[in-house]
């Protein structure tokens, strides 16, 4: 299996020409993030991911993480690679400067995360979870809590986890039962079991800081009565050194279809009645705190979808250029044709390539909007970007991860029979990718978030703003030339999206089940409008650079970009032509068959 | 994991009311296949598959088949179940009566095969391969060869394999290099390696009859110089008893993503220069013989796709009715809602259900067309049905297997986090399903077969006949009532299909690469027209029975059928609305980027 190679040129193009990171870098907190620094981060990140992380991808799958008597053993090489990751400062790249982080914008962190996770998804899940803990502590922790935990979490010397799920409480977080009993000293005693805890126990770091949702005695039912607790694997002494082991353990690991190196733990807290937890953010404020982690986590999972697509793309392209079978129609070369010349293989490759690039643009815009929403000096601008980020998050998560599965499946298909054999590695990408549409809120939940909350937010201001911007952009595109068909198709689905959104909002007042029934196709439709807008921007930027002679040696890349964009518009976008009808079909056919008659 | 339950009522409905098996059963060879016999076969087949085959599904995945020193060991229980399968006569159900078969129509064999393979895909692959050997021998074997092999192959006491693939010769069969050297006694000595040989070696039967493609010395290059050989694992003595072991062996087994119980062998022939083979069908006639097996095999793989969808459907439905999370919109019942009440879960379930039923109707029509094409007394009728079967085969294979993957993926999604855990079993269905779009000709090859050969066959007579029949049917459907929208959508995609087919045929004379570029979306478009026509027939038949009061207690089933058909038309068919544009887009965007610039 070839090692991952970071698509640095493509990422740089998106940052510079599609989402305009330069505007962000003018802001005060990023004064020191120069063009050269950005380039250095991308290049070094690419190098580290290829050389240190990617080589552990196959062994991680084969060996998996294993639960031994003294804890979870990660696969060969993982511990060393993680140490190098921490020592090289990759974990703290976006962390707060006051705790040793490098304070770079999240959009640049997104680029680094894309590289690491494309190289090795299971490995990169570990630091991703730590990021969530950093954000929750930064937003909701007391000064003392921040002092105790932040520095080590930012550096990655300690890792973090999120503990939401219990057997009866999956998507329905409010049903959880883990208890937190207050003690005289202000701490709590935690007791209960959590499932599906990624990296809940491992040997890569000296401590693990669990963030655990639990109920205090007498708390209200459902999500209103949930509180968040810091529950470290090892308690921390006054001087910051590690103290005694807390009363918690990994009981078992799940046998999963993929991401075998990522230990998915059943965690037991307080078997001996002595698990110490520290309240964070006030009693019954747990959901609010958890949302801080979850929004970030949803974007991160979208990135994992992108990574599965990118890794699948690289493998499939390599294989298709190498493998020779038959003679392609119109081939003039000697001998058998590399399968990349066959039209159906070409369709698969171009489909993967174009949709992967569209998803990348969406995700990077989402990250930029988060940065702008946090750091822009003008409050009104911040509010608008936060609205944009809120709108884009379910799209990044659901469209990104659905395409991760679809594209890695196409990549398996490019390999033919060899794709089904584990040794070639593409099967692993496909198996790894299948979790992403499920976790951090299933893609069905993302779709409900989009139509049920995000559309209506601030009186519909944010989707209106985005569609308005897209419509303006379309109006300014030339009606003739090679993007004419693209313009027509984008214009068509944008109009469909507007009509669908208006219909959904009207139904919100009448029949919320109609809204739910239309949510999934609406998310796909809107995703393709967002992707279509950003891809159009990319094509226009590429065209402009070619025409003005400022391609700087990237001319072939720029021409390929335009062709890729056109493929997205003419061969992918038409899959959205019927989505409006599906959105506006209403709920009646969904419930026409009684539950008891479904299996007749 | 719940055991498989055969959907006997649904299968019977398709046979009786959608594809009209009664017309077939009037033919002379099937005089003894009474209504009661059909019902008995379906019920006993259902029982056998649930009780004997389904319980081995999980263990087959967990243990897999393993290569030991003395050959391949199948998982616990497989050998006994296979013996019972043979003893109960299931293997010979469609086999020729003169060799001990029961001579039933293939369409009924299809129903039995659906049941067995839904219960256990990997297990059922073994008898499926034997069927192919029976057909090849029946069509091309000498009388002596038939006398030697047929009876045991028909009963299943011996199993059969197909040996096409070599490392350099996958889709490109003509590139194979296995040699067959003629001997003075009329036999041949076979030497070479074959890969991807399903059930190439195992312990379930006393002998394995390999059909092996090889080249005789001085044969023409490519597919024109290939011959087919019978190569038994044990040679057969004059009296029919087993003789000495032939010079062949399984060298290794592949580590696959799924179907672990099916040993995928690397087979070595003639390591000691003494592998005896018997020519079948004449020198250089191998491809013609192999096509006899392949057409059947393609339909069979389509059935496997259907089975993955059906098994996924049953598991997902069970889980969705059992698992409770949150409160569904509009729910009036107490407590948490079973997730089947949530709209996005309902969408997934109805999508699986409706497309699975569409695929089943297509596949059964395909099988019926094969029966009619073989057995109808009128030569012109036979010719027409053969044309229909030829047209439908790539559709059954590609649409059936693509939906097997899509639907088992949706089923995983219904399970949420539990879907990713191997113990629940749905992950296995998904992993097992992923091979089907690849083998027996990738789905890209099926699409090329459809647009490159089947459309133009007999001057386009067969697709014209099918579309004409569909258009007539649409014209006779009422314009109002609950099927009005269905009618409109089917009418729309049928017109798109006609326009696309005409465009493709026009391009055949100009630029064959345009045809290849449009092949994949055309196959999907035409599949949905065929599925749409058959589902409309189903709805009209159900409606008629309801209105005439001849539902015989099936009223709830019939009402569910109509609702399922409508879902297919209104929530699935719109995904085809943009396919015409994709078909007719031409090849230029496919090849706009040079191979060397794809990875820039």
């Amino acid at each position: 299996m070839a090692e991952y190679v970071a698509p640095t040129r493509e990422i740089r193009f998106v940052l510079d020409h599609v989402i305009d990171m330069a505007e962000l870098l003018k802001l005060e907190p990023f004064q020191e993030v120069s063009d050269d620094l950005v380039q250095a981060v991308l290049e070094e990140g690419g190098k580290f991911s290829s050389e240190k992380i990617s080589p552990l991808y196959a062994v991680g799958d084969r060996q998996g993480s294993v639960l031994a008597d003294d804890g979870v053993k990660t696969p060969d090489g993982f511990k060393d690679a993680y140490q190098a990751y921490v020592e090289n400062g990759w974990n703290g790249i976006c962390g707060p400067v006051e705790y040793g982080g490098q304070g770079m914008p999240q959009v640049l962190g997104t680029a680094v995360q894309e590289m690491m996770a494309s190289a090795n998804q299971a490995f990169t899940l570990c630091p991703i979870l730590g990021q969530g803990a950093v954000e929750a502590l930064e937003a909701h922790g007391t000064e003392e809590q921040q002092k105790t935990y932040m520095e080590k979490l930012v550096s990655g010397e300690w890792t973090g986890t999120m503990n939401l799920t219990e057997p009866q409480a999956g998507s329905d977080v409010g049903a959880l039962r883990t208890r937190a009993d207050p003690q005289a000293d202000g701490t709590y005693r935690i007791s209960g079991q959590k499932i599906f805890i990624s990296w809940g126990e491992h040997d890569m770091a000296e401590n693990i800081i669990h963030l655990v949702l639990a109920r205090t005695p007498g708390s209200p039912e459902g999500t209103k009565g949930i509180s968040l607790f810091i529950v470290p694997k090892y308690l921390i002494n006054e001087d910051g050194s590690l103290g005694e082991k807390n009363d918690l353990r990994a009981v078992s690991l799940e046998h999963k279809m993929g991401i075998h190196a990522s230990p998915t733990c059943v965690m037991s807290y307080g078997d001996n009645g002595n698990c110490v937890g520290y309240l964070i953010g006030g009693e019954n404020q747990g959901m609010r705190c958890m949302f801080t982690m979850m929004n970030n986590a949803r974007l991160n999972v979208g990135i994992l979808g992108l990574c599965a697509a990118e890794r699948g793309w690289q493998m499939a392209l390599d294989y298709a250029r190498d493998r020779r079978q038959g003679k392609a129609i119109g081939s003039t070369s000697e001998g058998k044709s590399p399968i990349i010349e066959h039209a159906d293989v070409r369709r698969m490759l171009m489909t993967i390539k174009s949709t992967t690039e569209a998803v990348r643009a969406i995700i990077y815009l989402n990250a930029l909007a988060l940065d702008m929403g946090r750091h822009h000096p003008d409050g009104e601008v911040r509010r608008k970007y936060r609205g944009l980020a809120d709108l884009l998050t379910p799209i990044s998560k659901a469209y990104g991860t659905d395409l991760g599965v679809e594209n890695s499946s196409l990549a398996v298909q490019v390999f033919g029979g060899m794709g089904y054999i584990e040794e070639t590695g593409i099967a692993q990408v496909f198996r790894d990718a299948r979790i992403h549409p499920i976790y951090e809120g299933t893609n069905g939940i993302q779709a409900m978030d989009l139509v049920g909350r995000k559309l209506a937010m601030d009186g519909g201001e944010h989707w209106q703003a985005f569609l308005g911007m897209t419509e303006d952009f379309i109006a300014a595109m030339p009606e003739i030339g090679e993007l004419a068909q693209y313009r027509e198709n984008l214009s068509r689905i944008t109009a469909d999206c507007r009509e669908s959104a208006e219909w959904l909002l009207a139904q919100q007042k009448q029949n919320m089940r109609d809204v739910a029934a239309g949510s999934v196709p609406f998310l796909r439709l809107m995703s393709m409008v967002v992707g279509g807008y950003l891809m159009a921007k990319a094509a226009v930027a590429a065209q402009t650079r070619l025409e003005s002679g400022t391609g700087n040696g990237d001319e072939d890349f720029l021409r390929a970009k335009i062709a890729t964009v056109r493929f997205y518009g003419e061969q992918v976008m038409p899959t959205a032509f019927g989505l409006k009808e599906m959105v506006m079909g209403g709920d009646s056919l969904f419930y026409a068959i009684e539950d008891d008659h479904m299996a007749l």
Side-chain angles (χ1 to χ4, degrees), chain A:
Chain A
M1 175 175 23
E3 301 302 346
Y4 166 74
V5 179
T8 312
R9 186 188 337 222
E10 154 74 5
I11 290 174
R12 191 75 217 238
F13 181 83
V14 172
L15 295 175
D16 292 347
H17 301 290
V18 183
I19 65 162
D20 204 1
M21 182 174 66
E23 279 304 305
L24 175 70
L25 297 188
K26 286 179 193 157
L27 302 188
E28 199 275 325
F30 306 123
Q31 289 301 306
E32 290 177 21
V33 183
S34 67
D35 214 62
D36 286 351
L37 179 57
V38 169
Q39 193 60 24
V41 166
L42 296 182
E43 282 173 11
E44 289 303 312
K47 215 171 136 192
F48 189 86
S49 58
S50 298
E51 294 176 2
K52 301 285 184 194
I53 313 287
S54 173
L56 304 177
Y57 188 56
V59 70
D61 187 61
R62 218 164 43 238
Q63 293 185 357
S65 280
V66 177
L67 182 59
D69 285 344
D70 55 343
V72 169
K73 301 290 162 218
T74 53
D76 293 347
F78 270 57
K79 187 173 176 174
D80 287 348
Y82 185 75
Q83 292 304 325
Y85 178 86
V86 169
E87 281 161 20
N88 283 268
W90 291 115
N91 199 67
I93 192 165
C94 299
V97 176
E98 62 269 40
Y99 294 108
Q102 293 165 65
M104 300 223 200
Q106 184 164 350
V107 70
L108 204 55
T110 295
V112 171
Q113 186 172 314
E114 180 195 331
M115 293 172 177
M116 302 296 171
S118 295
N120 197 328
Q121 303 233 356
F123 175 91
T124 307
L125 268 178
C126 185
I128 286 176
L129 290 159
Q131 269 177 47
V134 165
E135 296 203 11
L137 273 162
E138 195 179 9
H140 307 288
T142 62
E143 211 183 305
E144 198 199 328
Q145 288 170 339
Q146 292 179 351
K147 229 181 104 207
T148 308
Y149 299 104
M150 284 289 279
E151 202 173 302
K152 301 272 190 174
L153 280 170
V154 166
S155 71
E157 286 164 274
W158 298 349
T159 67
T161 72
M162 288 169 69
N163 287 244
L164 290 79
T165 306
E166 300 176 13
Q168 78 294 349
S171 298
D172 185 2
V173 178
L176 67 85
R177 295 183 198 138
T178 295
R179 286 174 55 97
D181 291 299
Q183 307 295 306
D185 64 357
T187 67
Y188 290 74
R189 287 299 170 275
I190 310 295
S191 55
Q193 262 202 6
K194 294 284 183 179
I195 62 169
F196 294 165
I197 309 308
S198 298
W199 291 97
E201 161 55 20
H202 62 84
D203 58 3
M204 301 203 304
E206 61 179 10
N207 203 2
I208 304 173
I209 310 304
H210 302 285
L211 293 192
V212 180
L213 285 183
R215 293 189 177 285
T216 51
S219 63
E221 278 191 20
T223 54
K224 290 198 187 81
I226 293 177
S227 307
L228 184 64
F229 297 87
I230 303 169
V231 187
K233 177 176 170 183
Y234 291 99
L235 300 177
I236 318 300
N237 297 325
E238 292 266 329
D239 64 356
S241 63
L242 293 189
E244 64 179 311
K245 171 101 169 46
N246 207 349
D247 178 17
L248 61 90
R249 67 194 177 100
V251 177
S252 62
L253 303 188
E254 304 292 351
H255 304 108
K256 307 188 301 296
M257 179 161 31
I259 52 168
H260 294 160
S262 166
T264 304
C265 304
V266 176
M267 296 297 296
S268 189
Y269 293 95
D271 283 355
N272 306 310
N274 199 23
C275 179
V276 180
Y278 309 96
L279 182 67
I280 173 171
E283 277 198 18
N284 301 332
Q285 298 298 308
M287 283 309 284
R288 201 171 59 91
C289 302
M290 218 61 194
F291 267 116
T292 310
M293 293 172 77
M294 245 153 59
N295 253 335
N296 193 38
R298 287 177 171 183
L299 177 57
N300 283 336
V301 175
I303 297 173
L304 296 178
L306 166 63
C307 294
E310 173 65 30
R311 190 72 189 262
W313 157 250
Q314 293 192 11
M315 287 188 187
L317 178 63
D318 271 6
Y319 188 81
R321 296 187 65 184
D322 188 51
R323 169 78 171 168
R324 288 171 182 270
Q325 285 289 275
K327 192 90 177 171
I329 299 164
S331 164
T332 50
S333 53
E334 276 292 300
K336 307 276 179 192
S337 303
I339 61 170
I340 192 173
E341 291 184 15
H342 294 288
D344 73 300
V345 174
R346 201 81 170 193
R347 170 183 289 281
M348 294 192 279
L349 290 172
M350 287 301 296
T351 300
I352 305 174
K353 180 174 169 64
S354 63
T355 56
T356 303
E357 293 182 13
V359 166
R360 180 177 288 114
I362 294 170
I363 282 173
Y364 283 50
L365 177 62
N366 194 342
L368 181 93
L370 285 169
D371 284 322
M372 285 289 205
R374 241 175 248 143
H375 300 294
H376 199 281
D378 182 334
E380 181 59 11
V381 176
R382 280 204 305 277
R383 193 185 65 80
K384 288 188 171 171
Y385 272 111
R386 276 203 302 267
L388 177 60
D390 283 340
L391 186 70
L392 292 179
T393 298
I395 289 173
S396 297
K397 198 280 177 178
Y399 188 54
T401 60
D402 279 343
L403 284 181
V405 174
E406 290 173 31
N407 283 334
S408 59
S409 186
L410 283 175
V412 168
Q413 191 72 15
V414 169
F415 274 76
M418 294 307 295
Y420 203 62
I421 306 299
E422 288 290 355
E423 281 80 354
T424 45
I426 191 65
Q428 183 188 350
V429 179
F430 176 64
R431 289 185 289 100
D432 284 1
R434 190 60 192 82
I435 187 59
H436 305 140
I438 295 171
Y439 58 26
E440 294 309 320
T442 66
N443 286 359
I445 288 173
Q446 304 301 323
M448 270 309 289
D449 179 47
L450 179 63
V451 300
R453 297 178 57 231
K454 303 302 173 64
L455 278 189
M457 212 170 50
D458 295 335
E461 175 190 335
H462 305 293
W463 72 267
Q464 291 274 9
F466 195 92
L467 285 200
M469 181 171 69
T470 303
E471 286 154 352
D472 291 347
F473 189 87
I474 295 168
M477 281 174 79
E479 282 185 49
I480 50 169
E482 59 175 358
L483 289 174
Q485 186 66 47
Y486 190 98
R487 180 183 191 274
E488 192 181 316
N489 289 356
L490 179 58
S491 176
R492 175 174 173 172
I493 65 169
T494 305
D496 283 356
C497 186
R498 178 174 286 286
E499 194 183 339
S500 299
E502 283 163 0
W503 184 86
L504 287 166
L505 286 168
Q507 300 313 303
Q508 283 198 1
K509 291 167 195 125
Q510 324 227 336
N511 177 8
M512 202 54 203
R513 231 167 53 171
D514 277 346
V515 180
S519 61
V520 169
F522 180 78
L523 185 141
R524 178 57 73 110
L525 176 57
M526 181 145 187
S527 299
M528 293 180 76
V529 170
V530 178
Y533 161 72
L534 292 170
M535 290 291 267
K537 273 192 78 175
V540 169
Q543 193 66 49
T544 305
R545 292 183 70 204
L546 282 169
E547 283 169 5
S548 63
T550 56
N552 284 330
D554 281 350
E555 286 75 11
D556 290 332
F557 167 81
L558 296 169
R559 276 188 287 269
K561 174 60 87 175
I562 295 168
T564 307
V565 170
R566 285 191 60 197
F567 193 91
Y568 187 73
E570 298 178 38
Q571 288 289 338
V572 178
M573 238 180 248
T575 60
F577 285 178
L579 293 174
K580 181 182 76 174
E581 277 81 356
M582 291 161 68
V583 174
M584 292 164 58
D587 69 340
S588 63
L589 282 179
F590 286 62
Y591 296 95
I593 307 177
E594 285 174 40
D595 297 1
D596 289 343
H597 299 163
M598 290 285 268
L600 287 180

